[in-house]
Amino acid sequence: MAVRQPGEDVVVDGGRGELVLMWAGFPLLGAGLGAGLTALSGWIAGLAWFPFQGLFELLARWPDERSYPIGAGVGLLGGLFLAVVAVRERLTVTVGHRRVRLHRDGHGRDLARAGVAGVFVDGKALVLLDSAGGELAREKSDLDAERLREAFIRQGWPWTGQDPHRHAYRRWVEGLPGLPPGADALLRARQRALDGGNDAETRELHGELARLGVVVRDEGKRQYWRLVTSPPPG
């Protein structure tokens, strides 16, 4: 393994193996699943609750030399769709001595080292904090925590290992005092988004709460919150 020179950026991502799994494994798995469901199409067509009943009724009526390629093809397309979504959600972290770049879905975000007071992994999320305890970034991924730790420490970043404010969090219960005006309504809306699996809405409301000086973390479908130690800018 080549020795890195001081200041050389360290890139942490899923590697080529992850891309091969996504672009080859997902479509192949989808094709196999489609062929398997085609073999069971006659039985599935009799299950009123099963989705896509019309498709399975057609597959059950068609001869094997026609139904199996179609079933496998539909599964393959489904696997390709999942691969596209997975690649778009793939996070790449490029750690330099003075800044870090968080890249996902064709968009990159740079954070300067001077504004970061702590870096750690919280469950599946990479978190960067400012000096007031506010979150500069919270990015979920499947990146290896040890590789992230090594990359940030190598470049001299303040890796804390765990959330230094972990004891300040409180379970959110609607109507309890202590939150700034408007935060309870945002947490209520975010709970609905969290329960409904609406990730985009959940992330957007996370940002709205951050502007009020409220940091939120999730444990399953439960929300926990704390206040930053000083009001957010603006």
Side-chain angles (χ1 to χ4, degrees):
M1 179 177 177
V3 177
R4 300 182 189 276
Q5 297 301 317
E8 183 182 352
D9 290 354
V10 182
V11 178
V12 183
D13 59 17
R16 293 181 180 178
E18 183 181 72
L19 289 174
V20 170
L21 173 64
M22 291 175 180
W23 286 118
F26 287 4
L28 287 174
L29 182 62
L33 180 61
L37 290 174
T38 300
L40 298 173
S41 58
W43 175 67
I44 293 173
L47 303 175
W49 53 268
F50 206 90
F52 308 113
Q53 282 294 302
L55 173 61
F56 287 107
E57 288 171 359
L58 285 174
L59 291 174
R61 289 200 300 267
W62 286 341
D64 290 351
E65 60 271 17
R66 185 180 181 187
S67 62
Y68 275 92
I70 291 176
V74 170
L76 185 143
L77 290 175
L80 282 173
F81 174 77
L82 288 177
V84 170
V85 172
V87 169
R88 288 182 61 180
E89 288 297 310
R90 188 172 182 256
L91 178 67
T92 299
V93 180
T94 304
V95 189
H97 184 63
R98 291 186 174 87
R99 62 182 59 248
V100 61
R101 167 165 281 249
L102 308 174
H103 188 272
R104 190 198 300 272
D105 194 15
H107 302 286
R109 180 186 177 193
D110 291 335
L111 294 172
R113 163 69 183 85
V116 176
V119 187
F120 59 94
V121 170
D122 180 22
K124 290 287 189 178
L126 172 67
V127 182
L128 287 84
L129 300 179
D130 62 22
S131 58
E135 286 185 353
L136 296 169
R138 175 178 282 269
E139 293 286 348
K140 289 185 178 180
S141 76
D142 290 320
L143 295 177
D144 183 70
E146 182 60 23
R147 290 181 62 204
L148 288 169
R149 186 190 72 83
E150 290 178 356
F152 280 98
I153 289 177
R154 180 187 294 271
Q155 298 290 20
W157 289 65
W159 183 269
T160 62
Q162 58 185 351
D163 189 347
H165 305 280
R166 61 192 180 280
H167 298 303
Y169 285 93
R170 299 170 57 188
R171 171 85 180 269
W172 176 71
V173 177
E174 186 175 351
L176 283 182
L179 286 163
D184 200 59
L186 289 173
L187 282 163
R188 189 162 55 247
R190 190 175 183 276
Q191 186 67 59
R192 289 195 296 269
L194 198 62
D195 290 338
N198 190 336
D199 292 339
E201 182 78 1
T202 300
R203 285 194 299 269
E204 182 178 347
L205 290 166
H206 188 281
E208 292 294 327
L209 286 158
R211 280 188 276 276
L212 295 178
V214 180
V215 179
V216 186
R217 65 186 300 272
D218 303 322
E219 292 185 10
K221 298 292 185 180
R222 299 187 298 273
Q223 298 185 103
Y224 292 81
W225 64 272
R226 65 173 174 83
L227 301 178
V228 297
T229 57
S230 62

